[in-house]
Amino acid sequence: MDWDASPLPDSSGRTVVITGANAGVGYFTAEQLAGAGARVVLGCRDPERAEAAVSAIRRRVPSARVEALPLDVTDRRSIDAAADALLAYERVDALVLNAGIVHPPRTRQTDEYGNELVLSTNVLGHFRLVARSLAALQQTPGSRIVTLGSLASRLGRVRVDDLQLERSYTAWRAYAGSKIAAQVFGFELDRRLRAAGADVQSIVVHPGYSTSGRTPGIRGVNQPSRLKRFADNLQAAWTQGKDAGAHVPVRAVLDPTISGGDYLGPALWTKGAPVHAPATRASRSPRLGAALWPLFERAAAQPFRL
């Protein structure tokens, strides 16, 4: 079905939590949902950037109900504290797993627990957060978990025997592999939720090729240089702004016709209106999901029980 991003359906009474929402697609997802009336919680690592994002949303959406929640998805203490905060909310209608590293380091780095940093940020922290806060979503009828994947999932593979890239690290393998793993998590999570009879849906999305140079400038949130704008506008035929990329997760949160296990992306692959899209066979593989799940549990030090 067609989806009109403006106006959005009234979302008053809903609470949506978005990780990494101080910039990029996460910020615009938050702004658009706040404009629709939802209470929006920005889970952010840097308090100054979080406050800048909150202030920007309040400037641009005077009626916004928006707040920040400290969350560093590479720090188990921070994840656990954020999960405890979510469990105290009266309702959590959607949890958008957006935080991530887009530009990985050239050489392999690890978090304080020894996990490869890109995998830790893009997958493992979210795995632990969902496992520890799932009860908050289960007490809210029709709640959703939305995982941000990537078109990069079509250009790489995940190594089950070297998930942490101890033997084969490159920046590209780290990014592509983490995004494949994130999508595998999202689809496997939905299978497990359904098997358990849970009233929570897991949806996977990708925002296409969304660049900061084609995104509206917002003080403290998106301030690309003139050179960045010039370079990104040379790619206008196949790119879009991050505000347009946010239409995909926003639809996943709000559209009642979307179901658990759906995969959404831009209509023209890299840009365009949010539509149902085909995910890779690996992302949807129950066999790969079953193989990676215990590896996620071990690396995140978090059993996942439904």
Side-chain angles (χ1 to χ4, degrees), residues 27-103:
Y27 167 82
F28 287 100
T29 300
E31 181 185 288
Q32 289 168 26
L33 289 170
R39 173 195 180 193
V40 181
V41 181
L42 315 185
C44 303
R45 179 181 61 179
D46 186 313
E48 291 185 5
R49 292 182 178 182
E51 184 53 40
V54 167
S55 296
I57 292 174
R58 287 174 177 165
R59 286 196 311 270
R60 292 165 61 86
V61 184
S63 62
R65 295 183 299 141
V66 57
E67 62 199 77
L69 174 69
L71 174 61
D72 180 345
V73 292
T74 67
D75 184 335
R76 292 173 188 168
R77 297 171 297 267
S78 177
I79 294 168
D80 295 352
D84 288 344
L86 299 190
L87 292 172
Y89 289 0
E90 290 186 5
R91 61 186 299 130
V92 177
D93 295 85
L95 174 58
V96 182
L97 308 179
N98 167 82
I101 293 178
V102 179
H103 303 291

Side-chain angles (χ1 to χ4, degrees), residues 19 71 79 82-83 86 95 97 125-133:
T19 70
L71 174 61
I79 294 168
L86 299 190
L95 174 58
L97 308 179
H126 285 142
F127 183 92
R128 186 179 178 100
L129 177 66
V130 172
R132 297 182 74 92
S133 62

